[in-house]
Amino acid sequence: MCRKTWMKRTICSMLLVSLIGIMMTSGCGSATDVGETEATPMENSAQSDESTALEASKSDMDPNGENAENEHSPLYISESVVKKDGSTTAKTDVATDLPLLSKVDTWPEEVVERKPYDTEMTGRVGGYFLIPMDGGIYRYDDYSSSSEAMSAQGISLATDELIFTCTEKGISENYDYDIYSLKAYPDKDLLLANCIGYNSIIISYAPAQGIRDGELEDAQENDFVIRKNGSVISGKELWQEFCGKVAQGQPAVVRLGYYYTLEKRNMSEELREAEKADFPCLFLQQLYYDGSSFTLSPVHKLGEEYVIYEKPQIDSPERTYSHLMHYADEAENAFTSYTAYDKYVLTNNDQVTWKELQQSVLSSVSGYIQHQEVYGEYVWKEGMER
């Protein structure tokens, strides 16, 4: 599994928080398009605090977490932010006027030092290979689909020595691996994993991907809106300003940060052990509205400057969307870890509901609907904060 696959798995684990609920309910949240006249960004002028409003909604729910009386919950949003008289409920007095980040075409070569992984586990663990050698245990990840694909690229796969053997327990059968070093890679950044009776694969050293000390604080100081495990923790006013400008058809830009921690994640002990060095992690993006469409771009820090750059093994590619949808409602049922949500999602369909987007992630029949959640606020149940 390459680094990009790891990132997608990380994001998907957050999506599953709400997908559990949607499979067992026929209700759905509201859908309003921020990019059109009937747009609805989150109201906050008439309410002193959005979190308070969300918390208040819990009193309208029955003990099982279902909507008690109304067809639509108190959080169901169906009005336009842009009023008939031209006024707006969106907060627009922050006026940060963020500049667009610069794009770079190349990235300095990064030298990765191979370091032992802090674990006592070995073998095939949580989708990784934990391999004892050179006095330590080192973590490796899938690099290519097969050794044949590497050979086709002209890469020598001549083996040097057998380093380790291990067995992966499958559902119906076990898989035995012989791990070899490669003569062309004496630094052991790449190894060959021969699955006996099946194809061989190339595996690469997988360094820790967790953020460095001060990285989160630096992003906050540079006006990134930060969501922790899906729910906003800072920069709320920056998002409100962005929505206010979009609702009025003005060009606008906002910086987004997705911060994930390992605590309270629903995962096996093995997967937790294999991924513990990758948390907490932080992914950055820029969202730009040019007056008609939205462009979402990956962001990285180069020296002291944040820039737009797509790292092939890390980032999803830059994408453009036509609509920014707003969905808000109480939890789908009692099985979710939250009681209410308020989120904004980029799509290319101004009629699609949040339920339909969730179902498209799971359905192989209807097909996946391209979308990207860019802002969210959850009211977590007691003891379920993430």
Side-chain angles (χ1 to χ4, degrees), residues 359-373:
Q359 287 177 332
S360 83
V361 175
L362 298 173
S363 174
S364 59
V365 178
S366 60
Y368 176 71
I369 302 173
Q370 185 64 51
H371 67 281
Q372 176 66 53
E373 183 177 331

Side-chain angles (χ1 to χ4, degrees), residues 6 37 44 72 87 99 107 109 124 128 145-146 156-157 194 196-197 211 218 277 285-286 290 305 318 352:
W6 172 84
T37 10
N44 81 314
H72 295 313
S87 63
W107 197 262
E109 185 177 352
R124 188 71 156 153
Y128 293 86
S145 56
S146 68
S156 172
L157 299 179
N194 177 31
I196 300 172
I211 62 174
D218 187 74
Q285 291 179 316
Q286 173 185 272
D290 64 5
E305 182 183 6
E318 181 176 272
V352 68

Side-chain angles (χ1 to χ4, degrees), residues 198-328:
Y198 296 90
N199 291 335
S200 299
I201 59 173
I202 302 301
I203 57 177
S204 62
Y205 169 67
Q209 301 292 345
I211 62 174
R212 297 180 295 274
D213 290 343
E215 193 171 339
L216 174 63
E217 293 75 13
D218 187 74
Q220 290 173 313
E221 290 172 6
N222 282 274
D223 297 317
F224 281 85
V225 178
I226 304 296
R227 294 165 59 195
K228 179 183 178 183
N229 297 328
S231 192
V232 65
I233 58 171
S234 66
K236 203 182 295 187
E237 69 283 356
L238 298 170
W239 178 257
Q240 292 161 358
E241 181 203 5
F242 173 80
C243 287
K245 289 182 177 180
V246 168
Q248 298 175 49
Q250 300 177 15
V253 61
V254 66
R255 299 172 184 175
L256 307 171
Y258 308 91
Y259 177 66
Y260 298 97
T261 61
L262 195 58
E263 304 92 86
K264 299 188 179 179
R265 285 192 173 275
N266 210 356
M267 61 199 326
S268 69
E269 249 185 68
E270 285 194 350
L271 182 57
R272 183 179 296 274
E273 182 70 12
E275 293 195 344
K276 64 183 182 182
D278 298 327
F279 292 88
C281 57
L282 179 67
F283 303 104
L284 303 175
Q285 291 179 316
Q286 173 185 272
L287 178 58
Y288 173 57
Y289 177 64
D290 64 5
S292 62
S293 61
F294 300 85
T295 300
L296 190 64
S297 308
V299 171
H300 295 276
K301 192 171 186 183
L302 181 60
E304 296 301 315
E305 182 183 6
Y306 288 96
V307 296
I308 294 175
Y309 180 75
E310 181 185 327
K311 292 189 175 182
Q313 295 302 319
I314 296 178
D315 301 311
S316 296
E318 181 176 272
R319 291 187 185 276
T320 299
Y321 298 84
S322 57
H323 301 285
L324 177 62
M325 306 298 291
H326 183 194
Y327 302 102

Side-chain angles (χ1 to χ4, degrees), residues 101-129:
L101 296 175
S102 302
K103 281 190 176 183
V104 297
D105 297 324
T106 58
W107 197 262
E109 185 177 352
E110 297 175 323
V111 179
V112 178
E113 181 184 354
R114 202 165 56 91
K115 296 180 179 179
Y117 193 75
D118 182 19
T119 184
E120 294 182 359
M121 288 188 177
T122 61
R124 188 71 156 153
V125 179
Y128 293 86
F129 287 92

